[in-house]
Amino acid sequence: MGLAGCSDDTEPSEAQKQSASASPVDDKSEPADAASSPASGVDRSSAEKAVAGWVAALIKGETEQACLLMAEPADGSKPAQVGTEKTCGEGAPERKRMEATLGQFRESFTPDPPADDPKVEVTQPLGTGDKVTVPAAKINVDGKALDKIVLSHSTGVAQDQLDIKVESSRIEDSWYVTNLDFNVG
């Protein structure tokens, strides 16, 4: 999984301009969980709730919650891979890789001043179909648009240079974050 955050560099680097695929699991045998997992508090009942929950988990540093909301869609003969308690729990190899990668986004996604329990909302109309892309301008954290928050943590980046989108896909009637496009340049 290759995700990168904004830095103080004034010139876009390869790490600043990329599309990152979310791949939280290595276990292909696990089926998709129910739309809402009471044990974890993860709500996968809509694309918007999955995206909002994922952004909130990143800000709070809750890697397991973020992982449970992530998946890699089926590709040809390869079945979908979703985050599960087994693959996202304490000590899981993928979780350790995710902690380092997703941790890079925590500061970039956190509004100033930070809240202990940020309220994250997706403000675009409910999506249709099995894939929904949400631009950062339509994700609000404590009333502030996510693109503006990321921009406030960046140096030498203008609003028109920043393009962030979070993709959510329906897998077996549950929604997961399946891609993050984070482009600066």
Side-chain angles (χ1 to χ4, degrees), residues 100-164:
T101 305
L102 295 179
Q104 296 174 5
F105 288 102
R106 185 174 186 187
E107 181 180 337
S108 294
F109 285 16
T110 302
D112 192 26
D116 290 336
D117 191 19
K119 183 178 180 193
V120 181
E121 294 178 290
V122 173
T123 61
Q124 78 176 18
L126 291 176
T128 59
D130 289 336
K131 191 178 287 188
V132 174
T133 301
V134 181
K138 297 293 186 179
I139 302 170
N140 286 338
V141 180
D142 294 332
K144 299 175 185 172
L146 183 59
D147 61 338
K148 304 278 192 248
I149 294 168
V150 172
L151 194 60
S152 75
H153 293 292
S154 303
T155 303
V157 178
Q159 177 70 40
D160 62 343
Q161 294 176 304
L162 188 63
D163 183 27
I164 304 169

Side-chain angles (χ1 to χ4, degrees), residues 48-72:
E48 295 75 16
K49 287 182 180 179
V51 168
W54 183 75
V55 170
L58 286 181
I59 293 168
K60 292 191 244 181
E62 296 174 349
T63 306
E64 183 172 347
Q65 295 294 89
C67 178
L68 289 169
L69 286 162
M70 294 170 67
E72 190 171 316

Side-chain angles (χ1 to χ4, degrees), residues 21-42:
S21 174
S23 58
V25 296
D26 295 323
D27 186 350
K28 296 163 188 57
S29 64
E30 293 287 337
D33 290 344
S36 183
S37 174
S40 65
V42 172

